[in-house]
Amino acid sequence: MSGAGPREAVFPTRQSLGLMKSKLKGAEIGHSLLKRKSEALTKRFRDITRRIDEAKQKMGRVMQIAAFSLAEVSYAVGGDIGYQIQESAKQARFRVRSKHENVSGVFLPQFESYTKEGVNDFGLTGLGKGGQQIQRCRETYARAVETLVELASLQTAFLVLDEVIKVVNRRVNAIEHVIIPRTENTIKYINSELDELDREEFYRLKKVSNKKQRDTAAADAEILAARQRQAEKDKENGGAAEEPDSVDVLGEQEDTDVIF
Amino acid sequence: MEGLFFNVNGGYVEGIVRGYRNCLLSGQNYSNLTQCETIDDVKLQLAPAYGDFLASLPPNPSTSALAGRMTDKLVSEFRYLIAQATGSTAKFLEYLTYGYMIDNIALLITGTLHERDTRELLERCHPLGWFETLPVLCVATNIEELYNSVLIETPLAPYFKGSLSHQDLDELNIEIVRNTLYKNYLEDFYNFISTHPDFAGTPTQEVMTEILQFEADRRAINITLNSFGTELSKLERRKLYPEFGKLYPEGSLMLSRAEDVEGVALAVSAVGDYKAFFDAVGLSQGGGGGLGGMGGGPADGKSLEDLFYQKEMEMSKLVFTRQFTPAVVYAWMKLKEQEIRNVTWIAECIAQNQKERIGNFISVF
């Protein structure tokens, strides 16, 4: 019984039984809490997965439009304007700030995009021709980058959540399949050991009391025999003999200790 | 009279250009191109016109590589022409390259301002705008040196003189510098056409005047439209308008005062062609929504810029009805450039699977 399954190395005492019982209770509470956390995270995870799917499809469309607007620019300008744009851009107009969101104790990084107004470094590019297309292309690409930032935010959250969910699930499983059975086993072991001790004790007590009874019986028989012998002797002496010393029960003599 | 001796010097060049003109893609070619499924098909369709220039491209080339090779062909043909030309015809052809030189110099000035390695910029320069002293620009390390000792040696020096100082190069937006140069270039070209004894009073003057006036007006209108919402002040804007053209002087003045699209439409309403363009794209009704380019609101999918290109192509086509003039070279170059843009557009549409807009090119033949 106590040997089945792993158990913790404890001495089977009542104290450790109490410890184990409180440990089992703690483990069960922890298990249900972690289980709920894992469910909450999984719900969030599914939500993010769905949004990633949407964002990716949106990104596909937006990037296509953006690439096409670039083609429009090259048609309107009739040449490569990449270098001019690179050189005239000095300040970032489109910026990203990051913040944290707390989902059941997990910090998910979130990126938030914003445009800094008033920064328009290549506003004059294509002044002669194609300027409108360039500005429009810039707006299209700003939207595309916005989608990318959103996607990046979701992907990061996805990765972080994935990791956390794995850890939580591992804990839940560990508690469910290792810690709880082991604690239960230990409790069973302690219980069975304690029972055995009880039985042993009981048996020993019985044995001791048996022995005692036997010893008392033997002593009684001896006394009886001594009395009979005395009586016979008295009869022989004709009653001349003085009264024999009866055992003084209430006297100075001590009883032998009863040992259990 | 001009026809009597023109062929002595310019006959060969003109003949060659008329031959080149027959290589331009026709409407039939374009409709074949739009049917293509891959860039390789486009390459195949272009093979008769571009031949060995496209042969060395890898399978399924990028559209920019394709455009690059097509430009190479234009460049090599133009170089042949300029090598054959003599006298005033040669001078005329040189004028054609100045526009590209302005772009190249603007590129190099940008590079110098940002202290880039100007050598790698040379590779980005347009080959038609190449001149002997262009690499010397790379020697200059600061803008003052560039201005004082290097720019003065370039053919564009007169355009800098008087309108731009070296402080301007440092402080002004490069786009303003570029447009100032271009304005000076257009005025100089116009002056050259009208006053040179070989051209004054010939068909050359007639057609080139019309084309250059159109170009000047187009630039003025574009600059005005594109400057809305930027830090370009009205006074600065006024300085960028070429001082000739159908809009000059009243229209230019009104353009310089225009604050919105309606103002521009009002300014150009004196000239029938431009008024028709603005009406066509619905800008004169004050929408403003259709302002931006080809994807915008206009019902027929044409933007103002498309209409300008269309007009330019039609004018260029008409130039070929004239004889004894080097203006056909100008017309041919414009047509060829448009063709390269068209093919690039079609190739982009095919590459990006956006077939619904593939017909948005301009074909005049």
Side-chain angles (χ1 to χ4, degrees), chain A residues 102-148:
Chain A
N102 193 340
V103 179
S104 339
V106 184
F107 285 103
L108 295 181
Q110 270 198 327
F111 304 119
E112 198 181 59
S113 57
Y114 64 103
T115 38
K116 196 172 179 219
E117 293 306 323
V119 178
N120 194 356
D121 276 341
F122 48 90
L124 287 178
T125 307
L127 192 60
K129 52 182 177 179
Q132 288 149 28
Q133 276 85 352
I134 292 172
Q135 297 307 321
R136 232 157 44 83
C137 181
R138 191 188 64 185
E139 277 158 28
T140 324
Y141 266 96
R143 277 204 295 282
V145 177
E146 219 167 275
T147 319
L148 284 184

Side-chain angles (χ1 to χ4, degrees), chain A residues 44 48 99-103 106-110 156-158 160-161 164:
Chain A
R44 181 80 187 193
I48 285 180
K99 57 178 190 180
H100 288 288
E101 196 200 6
N102 193 340
V103 179
V106 184
F107 285 103
L108 295 181
Q110 270 198 327
T156 323
F158 181 84
V160 172
L161 263 189
V164 171

Side-chain angles (χ1 to χ4, degrees), chain B residues 174-228:
Chain B
I174 188 66
E175 281 298 318
I176 297 176
V177 173
R178 181 206 301 272
N179 283 292
T180 312
L181 289 179
Y182 211 88
K183 170 208 163 193
N184 290 345
Y185 156 66
L186 279 180
E187 283 171 4
D188 185 38
F189 197 7
Y190 186 73
N191 191 37
F192 168 73
I193 291 299
S194 337
T195 55
H196 195 278
D198 283 353
F199 293 129
T202 65
T204 311
Q205 191 200 356
E206 228 170 285
V207 294
M208 284 313 291
T209 303
E210 199 187 343
I211 287 180
L212 288 176
Q213 279 179 345
F214 172 74
E215 180 71 26
D217 292 342
R218 179 168 79 161
R219 284 196 85 79
I221 294 172
N222 270 335
I223 288 172
T224 316
L225 285 178
N226 289 335
S227 69
F228 293 147

Side-chain angles (χ1 to χ4, degrees), chain A residues 67-99:
Chain A
F68 199 66
S69 73
L70 189 61
E72 277 177 10
V73 167
S74 62
Y75 178 81
V77 179
D80 188 19
I81 54 157
Y83 189 78
Q84 284 172 44
I85 301 281
Q86 272 172 40
E87 287 304 323
S88 54
K90 292 182 198 76
Q91 275 183 304
R93 176 184 159 88
F94 190 91
R95 294 168 188 220
V96 175
R97 67 165 84 88
S98 88
K99 57 178 190 180

